[in-house]
Amino acid sequence: MRKDLGKLTGMFPSPVALVATYDENKNVDVIVATWCGMCADTRVVINVRESSKTLQNIKYSKAFTLSIANEKYLAQVDFLGMSSAKKMPDKFERTGLHAFESDYVNAPIIDELPLALECEFEELRDENGSKRIVGKIINISVDENVLDDNGTVEPEKLCAVAFDPYGLNYYGIGEKVTDAFKIGTDILYN
């Protein structure tokens, strides 16, 4: 038996991604985006409030990075998701995290988070009071500690986190269940 929940916002799992930008003075601003994802092979999409400092920064710098949250820095990630740079200009510094400038786009990379998509601002869409930002991935920066011997990201080492919009919780992701594009072959070929 199923139960109707009505219109809720979100789906599980939702990625927990940190959007990092520079303002006009090269100050680092970071927000947490759970309304984000891939929208084409080299494109990402994030939704932000029209009034957000992040939107102002992206319009100014024409770039941003999208880092995947991990379990080790979840307290800092949660804080960044609850605070506003408009009310707390030093919010990134309060976390104790560090950032360095991307070699590819005019945006910071959070040093402690092992995976970052470096993106150029490409398009802005109006979506019922919020803004949908499309970015083109220019480079993916990865800490070598999360790579296997073949240079592929190992999710078990990444320790990525997902957001549960129904219960307002974070969940760890990383245990392999099975191989993709193999488990369904019996059904495909029978």
Side-chain angles (χ1 to χ4, degrees), residues 112-125:
E112 290 81 359
L113 299 181
L115 180 74
L117 284 66
E118 301 166 70
C119 304
E120 285 181 350
F121 169 68
E122 193 166 77
E123 184 181 348
L124 183 65
R125 300 177 188 166

Side-chain angles (χ1 to χ4, degrees), residues 43-171:
R43 303 296 188 275
V44 295
V45 63
I46 57 173
N47 288 334
V48 297
R49 289 189 187 107
E50 191 165 4
S51 62
S52 74
K53 183 161 178 43
T54 299
L55 179 59
Q56 294 170 10
N57 292 347
I58 291 172
K59 285 179 176 180
Y60 166 77
S61 68
K62 306 293 186 219
F64 60 93
T65 61
L66 198 63
S67 295
I68 305 303
N70 72 3
E71 294 175 19
K72 184 174 181 181
Y73 297 100
L74 203 46
Q76 291 90 334
V77 169
D78 196 49
F79 165 76
L80 288 167
M82 295 186 298
S83 55
S84 164
K86 284 187 172 182
K87 296 177 183 174
M88 193 182 301
D90 66 339
K91 80 176 202 173
F92 182 71
E93 289 78 19
R94 288 183 184 208
T95 66
L97 297 173
H98 305 89
F100 62 93
E101 189 167 357
S102 162
D103 290 333
Y104 298 92
V105 298
N106 184 23
I109 295 174
I110 302 169
D111 195 29
E112 290 81 359
L113 299 181
L115 180 74
L117 284 66
E118 301 166 70
C119 304
E120 285 181 350
F121 169 68
E122 193 166 77
E123 184 181 348
L124 183 65
R125 300 177 188 166
D126 190 17
E127 294 291 332
N128 300 322
S130 71
K131 296 294 181 179
R132 179 164 294 156
I133 298 165
V134 177
K136 179 180 180 181
I137 300 169
I138 302 302
N139 185 53
I140 298 176
S141 171
V142 180
D143 186 311
E144 291 178 352
N145 292 322
V146 300
L147 298 176
D148 65 15
D149 294 337
N150 297 320
T152 302
V153 174
E154 286 191 82
E156 296 88 353
K157 292 180 180 177
L158 191 59
C159 300
V161 176
F163 176 66
D164 162 23
Y166 306 120
L168 303 181
N169 298 296
Y170 296 111
Y171 286 87

